[in-house]
Amino acid sequence: MKKPLTCIEDYRPPAWRMQTIALDFDLDVEQSWVSARLHVIQDPAQADVGLRLDGENVELLEIRLDGRVLASDEYRIEGALLFLDAVRGEAVIETRSRIRPADNKAMQGLYLSGGTEQGFLLSQCEAEGFRHITWSIDRPDVLARYTVTLRADRARFPVLLAGGNPDGAGELADGRHWARFVDPQPKPSYLFAIVAGRLAVIEDRHCTAEGRLVSLKIWAPAPLIARCRYALDCLKAAMLWDEQRFGRNYRLDVFHVVATDDFTMGAMENTGLNIFNSKYLLADPLHATDDDYRHVLAVVAHEYFHNWTGNRVTCRDWFQLCLKEGLTVYREQEFVSEQTSRTLRRIEDVRVLWRNQFSEDAGPLAHPVRPSQYSEINNFYTATVYEKGAEIVRMLATVLGRDGFRRGMDLYFDRHDGAAVTVEDFLAALGDANQRELSPWLAWYTQAGTPVLEAQGAFDAQTHCYTLELTQSFAPVATALPRQALPIPVALALFDAFGNRLKIERNGVAGDIDEAVILLDRPRMSLTFRHLDHAPIVSLLRGYSAPVRIAQRGDWADLVVLATHEDDGFNRWQAADGLIRHLFMAELQGDARGAPAFGAWMTGLRRAFDEADLDPATLAEMLTLADEITLGESLAEIDPPAIHAARSRLECSIAQALQTELLACYEQLAAASMAGAEPVAQGQRRLRNACLGLLCRADPQYHALALRHFDDAVCLSDKLAALTCLVHGQALAAQNALDTFAADYSTAATVMDRWFSVQATLPTANALERVRALTRHAAFRWDNPNKVYALLLAFALRNPVGFHREDGAGYEFIADSIRRIDRITPQVAARLTTAFAAWRRYPPTLRERMHAQLMRLQEAAAMSADVTDILARSLAHADEDGSLRP
Ligand code: BES
Ligand code: ZN
């Protein structure tokens, strides 16, 4: 099935709006009845456009116009549209329909989480799920006030929840009960939500800066509720932070959060009723790693922050998705940075950007942060929209400064509260509040592709001047649309050969400073730095001030200086990463140990272990090599076994060179394994586990250490780190450890996900056989997205050696899996399909085999619109702006 293209230039304001919508549900597992009462009003300027309602898999039982039942010839249903051509001006439309939650495996609309007997009902509407619940106008720029009444059997569904404020509840005959909710703020349909079933609750409250007392409740199936306390604390911290940092207060009386194991996404920001994938909500030491804790903090905050960036100020259309997602990711990053470690969060975000967004941008699925067309909108919740979208907001915050950015955000909220807006509106608000013209920034949103930044320096000993030539360009593409130069903030500092920071004195710019942020808003620019005795070392893109590729990372000796002395923690890591990449290239072409950079950098790292004020998490990151995907992404041709072999040899050489320091550090941090969840302890554990990982690479004798680590672990971070060492090191004790782990955690779904992932990412050509066998494991389920992500997506995206094995069996297996999953949850199948997108970049044999599977899928009958869209774009040639040529 193929959906037609929706194009941004075809946008028209809605001809009909809904002022109010009243929904009455009679809920049950197999079937539920929905009565909807829509008060619709026509735009007088579009008097010729008839009323149309959206609906899919919603069985219409009755429809009334202004109280009168319509005969079957007074309306017509064509596909997913209901036409009411005769209606004009203003009307009340009432429908009665039936939906089937238990049959809804796609998890869009109303569906069942858990079994028929014990499970609960919940809804998911973003992006276009509301039309699976009732007939209505399902687009984000139609905002209505919602009144929702739920009725159900009290014993089977004791808890009844909907977004908005509670507005009464009571008993009905025959053991049934009801509850009503009113959302005072008009909202788009994608933010509607209901939940019904047997759920346990934990409660707290928060008094907002405006003085409103908000009741906070987290709901989960009873066995999980004890693990929700941490999330509740995160929620309170996020509410406080948004008040203090952005002056944003919550304005409903209640804020509910519900946990489910059955969710295609991470979490969803429905007004007053957030719904979370339990992997991003549950956290206790036995069931969550340190990273999990930080993800819970991040996702709880992210969904809460949407209350202002997304919900109260929403998107005019789905092209503007980055307006809520990119901005909210940025806010979440800032929150987590301030609550934990800024350097660590920045390193993590940049690693994700390089691995996921740069590769997306370099392949056939590339698209601008604001796409100009889509066939299936669900396929545009991408790294580009989220991560690059957040980077654009970060750059704007950099150039406007903290106060200027806050002024801009204040104006944005003031102007647009209760409205559905565009990226242009966002830029206008930020610009108007700062008397700046920000329209050149629109190009960041409309041009696909990763910009390349080049820096060429020249020192003149006579004049004591250093000239730096900055150039921006784009990777060459097939068609040459004229490119607009982007405004690129380049934060830089200068160092001497001993790692001392030099004052920056620029020609024509008064004052001397430590760091300069240069706005490169032209194709090229020349800067002169004065009063220098020697050529300085330039530390470029401090804090990663722009999401660009650096053309050449400079001399390795300079990188060693920066990786040893840079006081911007992020750029210190960036220099270390540059050295790793340099050594990796040396290893690909021969032997990295012979390269002069190797010895120099090992000496540098050895010293880093003794540095008292180096944050352990940063050191851990400096010891963690870029992954195979990121390393491959920067090569012209991706040869997975060659990349894996070179990276492994390099890792082994580094580990052997540092063996003494690694062991000493491991022993010295022994106490960290006992400590709690605070950032310092987390950083120490991270470093200790990085040391253990490297030691196991240096010599299999350390598997004994890993086994002890495994047995002694009192938190999941340590347990999993040890398990990964044993399994990926193919230690004799590996199977035993896997069995013990599975026995200990058999009832903890999110922990079993990790157990599947460790095995799915085993970097050997025969990982496939193991993955195939694991699909028959009792804990695996084809209809559960988390299980599919943990086993199959992890294999396809994070196990290059296994997936890309020579005979193509990995491809065939994943293609078969896509067909199977597509009949259940098309969104999940579509994500799995992206594993084939970069097929053109692999060596000929692999390329042909990937292509063959794409063709096979394309020829298969009855594939979903979701998968069809990914296939079509993967096989087409993309224009420069990401649009498809016919
Ligand atoms: N609004 C999204 C969730 C969503 C995405 C629902 C696509 C339906 C379709 C939510 O705010 C979100 O962005 N969730 C992320 C996690 C977040 C921390 C980046 C997710 O689900 O991955
Ligand atoms: Zn979001």
Side-chain angles (χ1 to χ4, degrees), residues 380-392:
F380 281 84
Y381 289 78
T382 59
T384 298
V385 169
Y386 276 70
E387 264 68 52
K388 188 174 176 185
E391 292 300 322
I392 302 175

Side-chain angles (χ1 to χ4, degrees), residues 281-296:
L281 197 71
L282 307 178
D284 66 27
L286 278 183
H287 298 92
T289 62
D290 293 338
D291 285 343
D292 291 336
Y293 271 91
R294 281 148 19 82
H295 292 151
V296 169

Side-chain angles (χ1 to χ4, degrees), residues 586-732:
E587 187 67 50
L588 259 188
Q589 286 142 21
D591 177 12
R593 271 173 310 184
F598 186 82
W601 179 224
M602 291 310 105
T603 308
L605 270 176
R606 265 182 217 114
R607 286 207 204 101
F609 280 97
D610 294 330
E611 247 178 81
D613 50 3
L614 174 58
D615 158 42
T618 308
L619 179 54
E621 289 301 313
M622 288 166 68
L623 291 167
T624 307
L625 275 59
D627 64 31
E628 291 166 27
I629 311 291
T630 308
L631 292 171
E633 194 278 316
S634 59
L635 301 172
E637 185 178 81
I638 306 173
D639 182 352
I643 293 168
H644 173 72
R647 183 185 179 280
S648 299
R649 286 194 310 268
L650 175 60
E651 194 171 40
C652 181
S653 304
I654 292 175
Q656 286 171 349
L658 301 176
Q659 204 165 321
T660 316
E661 289 75 16
L662 292 167
L663 192 58
C665 181
Y666 177 86
E667 306 275 323
Q668 194 200 328
L669 291 174
S673 61
M674 300 297 167
E678 63 279 6
V680 181
Q682 286 195 21
Q684 291 179 340
R685 267 196 297 272
R686 192 181 196 85
L687 177 55
R688 188 163 190 252
N689 287 327
C691 291
L692 179 66
L694 283 172
L695 285 168
C696 288
R697 302 285 312 153
D699 191 332
Q701 76 171 50
Y702 292 109
H703 288 158
L705 198 63
L707 190 57
R708 186 156 28 106
H709 198 88
F710 182 82
D711 290 334
D712 294 349
V714 294
C715 64
L716 189 63
S717 287
D718 287 350
K719 195 121 206 135
L720 256 176
L723 183 69
T724 308
C725 290
L726 295 170
V727 174
H728 289 196
Q730 298 183 275
L732 282 175

Side-chain angles (χ1 to χ4, degrees), residues 453-664:
L453 175 69
E454 205 179 324
Q456 284 288 352
F459 182 66
D460 185 335
Q462 241 86 61
T463 60
H464 297 271
C465 282
Y466 179 75
T467 315
L468 190 65
E469 186 93 22
L470 295 177
T471 316
Q472 60 168 299
S473 61
F474 294 89
V477 278
T479 55
L481 276 180
R483 282 272 190 189
Q484 208 176 310
L486 297 169
I488 301 178
V490 182
L492 56 81
L494 305 182
F495 291 82
D496 70 14
F498 306 99
N500 302 307
R501 188 99 80 88
L502 301 171
K503 290 279 176 222
I504 295 178
E505 293 182 56
R506 275 175 65 197
N507 257 0
V509 183
D512 57 345
I513 45 168
D514 279 344
E515 180 184 275
V517 181
I518 285 122
L519 191 65
L520 173 65
D521 55 1
R522 283 158 267 167
R524 68 176 56 235
M525 198 168 188
S526 181
L527 312 168
T528 307
F529 301 95
R530 298 178 302 164
H531 301 150
L532 295 164
D533 297 328
H534 302 279
I537 298 171
V538 184
S539 186
L540 210 58
L541 286 184
R542 296 185 108 211
Y544 204 57
S545 58
V548 298
R549 237 181 247 279
I550 302 183
Q552 90 302 345
R553 279 163 203 274
D555 189 54
W556 65 261
D558 292 353
L559 288 178
V560 173
V561 173
L562 294 178
T564 316
H565 297 288
E566 182 35 305
D567 52 341
D568 173 62
F570 173 81
N571 248 28
R572 186 168 177 185
W573 171 82
Q574 198 177 15
D577 177 73
L579 283 164
I580 292 297
R581 288 168 188 252
H582 170 86
L583 294 172
F584 169 75
M585 294 309 291
E587 187 67 50
L588 259 188
Q589 286 142 21
D591 177 12
R593 271 173 310 184
F598 186 82
W601 179 224
M602 291 310 105
T603 308
L605 270 176
R606 265 182 217 114
R607 286 207 204 101
F609 280 97
D610 294 330
E611 247 178 81
D613 50 3
L614 174 58
D615 158 42
T618 308
L619 179 54
E621 289 301 313
M622 288 166 68
L623 291 167
T624 307
L625 275 59
D627 64 31
E628 291 166 27
I629 311 291
T630 308
L631 292 171
E633 194 278 316
S634 59
L635 301 172
E637 185 178 81
I638 306 173
D639 182 352
I643 293 168
H644 173 72
R647 183 185 179 280
S648 299
R649 286 194 310 268
L650 175 60
E651 194 171 40
C652 181
S653 304
I654 292 175
Q656 286 171 349
L658 301 176
Q659 204 165 321
T660 316
E661 289 75 16
L662 292 167
L663 192 58

